[in-house]
């Protein structure tokens, strides 16, 4: 009976996290309000192990949405720079980055609950303490829960490319999004993006270059893949298939 109650509790917790990212928005006259979100919500089976990891370790590793800025110094217990990653997938590379860089704090946002559970499990396995996880729309987190000039950097690796031309407007990398990120960055804070879609890389370059507060660190548009960005399984497979990858690294003036 106790095991069944725990299973029910875990399912409810995971379902609640999922609902925070799929609530529809409507105008005052009842029409659906379309806006650019930081994600596409896809179905995926959350294993019992992942559910258990979320329930057991959320108090230590998870952060919930709030409409006031996070107190990062209280959350992490120090004033080290906070690096935000949007869309970390299953979280392996994010956890490895956090483990390799104890001089930084990492904050990951992902709406795919199996990925959240897997990331927490790996963080526990690696005994990582400088990482916190959020399961919510990143644009709302940036707007409401991140103070201006409070981030040391932003990482956006392999976001949904929306490869059809008619869907390009749904891509997260648009001028308003970049302007919002810049507002949240500290002076000399960075924006690091990577994609395996050349067309999206060109759009990223155009949008980032157009922001007057950003400087490109690459002498010729893109940088080689830096050693500090772990090679993901997805990216390694792309290399084997001959796919290109484009990294962009900009600094806030």
């Amino acid at each position: 009976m106790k095991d069944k109650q725990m299973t029910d509790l875990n399912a409810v917790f995971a379902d609640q996290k999922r609902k925070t990212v799929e609530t529809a928005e409507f105008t005052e006259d009842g029409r659906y309000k379309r806006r650019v979100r930081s994600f596409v919500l896809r179905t995926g089976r959350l294993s019992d192990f992942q559910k258990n990891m979320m329930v057991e370790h959320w108090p230590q590793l998870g952060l919930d949405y709030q409409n006031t800025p996070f107190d990062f110094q209280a959350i992490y217990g120090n004033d080290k720079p906070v690096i935000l990653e949007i869309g970390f997938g299953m979280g392996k590379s994010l956890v490895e980055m956090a483990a390799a860089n104890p001089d930084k704090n990492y904050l990951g946002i992902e709406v795919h609950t199996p990925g959240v559970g897997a990331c927490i499990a790996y963080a526990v396995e690696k005994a990582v303490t400088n990482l916190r996880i959020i399961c919510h729309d990143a644009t709302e987190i940036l707007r409401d829960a991140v103070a201006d000039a409070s981030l040391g950097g932003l990482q956006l690796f392999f976001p949904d490319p929306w490869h059809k031309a008619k869907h390009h407007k749904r891509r997260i990398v648009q001028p308003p999004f970049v302007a919002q990120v810049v507002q949240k960055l500290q002076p000399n804070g960075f924006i690091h993006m990577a994609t395996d879609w050349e067309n999206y890389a060109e759009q990223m370059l155009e949008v980032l270059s157009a922001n007057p507060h950003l400087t490109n660190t690459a002498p010729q548009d893109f940088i080689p893949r830096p050693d500090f960005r772990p090679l993901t399984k997805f990216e390694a497979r792309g290399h084997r298939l001959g796919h290109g990858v484009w990294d962009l690294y900009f600094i806030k003036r």
Side-chain angles (χ1 to χ4, degrees):
M1 178 64 71
K2 184 176 180 181
D3 290 343
K4 183 180 185 302
Q5 290 176 339
M6 180 59 70
T7 299
D8 292 343
L9 173 64
N10 293 359
V12 169
F13 180 83
D15 287 343
Q16 287 175 339
K17 289 300 171 193
R18 187 176 182 85
K19 287 176 182 176
T20 64
V21 297
E22 63 182 356
T23 303
E25 292 186 355
F26 298 89
T27 60
E28 292 182 358
D29 58 358
R31 291 179 300 171
Y32 177 71
K33 185 194 302 183
R34 174 176 290 280
R35 65 189 183 88
V36 175
R37 287 184 174 271
S38 63
F39 63 90
V40 180
L41 192 64
R42 296 187 174 93
T43 58
R45 184 179 182 278
L46 185 68
S47 70
D48 289 340
F49 174 71
Q50 291 164 345
K51 291 176 187 177
N52 291 338
M53 287 293 101
M54 288 181 68
V55 172
E56 292 175 16
H57 299 284
W58 194 260
Q60 296 78 38
L61 295 174
L63 291 178
D64 294 311
Y65 165 82
Q66 60 185 51
N67 59 8
T68 56
F70 293 123
D71 183 344
F72 289 135
Q73 186 161 3
I75 289 169
Y76 293 99
N78 58 63
D79 59 359
K80 298 171 184 177
V82 176
I83 312 303
L84 171 63
E85 180 165 331
I86 295 176
F88 55 74
M90 300 305 282
K92 187 174 186 294
S93 63
L94 176 59
V95 171
E96 289 176 353
M97 270 190 143
N101 297 280
D103 59 325
K104 298 181 179 68
N105 296 316
Y106 287 83
L107 177 63
I109 301 179
E110 177 58 62
V111 297
H112 187 57
T113 46
V116 172
C119 183
I120 289 176
Y122 193 44
V124 171
E125 177 186 333
K126 300 287 286 185
V128 168
T129 60
N130 59 332
L131 172 64
R132 299 294 183 273
I133 303 299
I134 298 174
C135 187
H136 198 86
D137 177 18
T139 58
E140 292 182 357
I141 293 295
L142 280 170
R143 182 192 67 200
D144 300 333
V146 177
D148 292 351
S150 65
L151 294 177
L154 171 87
Q155 299 179 168
L156 183 68
F157 302 146
F158 307 101
D160 195 314
W162 290 104
H163 57 277
K164 292 183 180 179
K166 65 180 180 179
H167 292 155
H168 285 183
K169 60 182 179 292
R170 300 183 184 182
R171 290 173 170 175
I172 187 174
V173 183
Q174 308 283 353
F177 169 74
V178 170
Q180 183 182 49
V181 170
V182 169
Q183 187 176 350
K184 305 301 178 179
L185 287 178
Q186 299 168 345
N188 298 315
F190 69 84
I191 294 178
H192 183 186
M193 297 182 180
T195 180
D196 61 336
W197 283 82
E198 186 173 10
N199 174 267
Y200 201 0
E202 293 169 350
Q203 178 179 328
M204 290 175 172
L205 179 63
E206 179 180 354
V207 172
L208 292 171
S209 299
N211 189 287
H213 304 290
L214 294 174
T215 299
N216 192 352
T217 64
Q220 294 183 340
D221 297 339
F222 304 102
I223 64 169
R225 188 189 74 82
D227 293 336
F228 58 79
R229 179 171 71 75
L231 186 68
T232 67
K233 183 186 299 184
F234 163 81
E235 188 179 357
R237 177 178 178 275
H239 284 315
R240 291 195 299 271
L241 295 174
H243 297 173
V245 172
W246 292 265
D247 277 75
L248 304 94
Y249 200 94
F250 281 67
I251 298 292
K252 180 180 178 179
R253 299 190 185 103

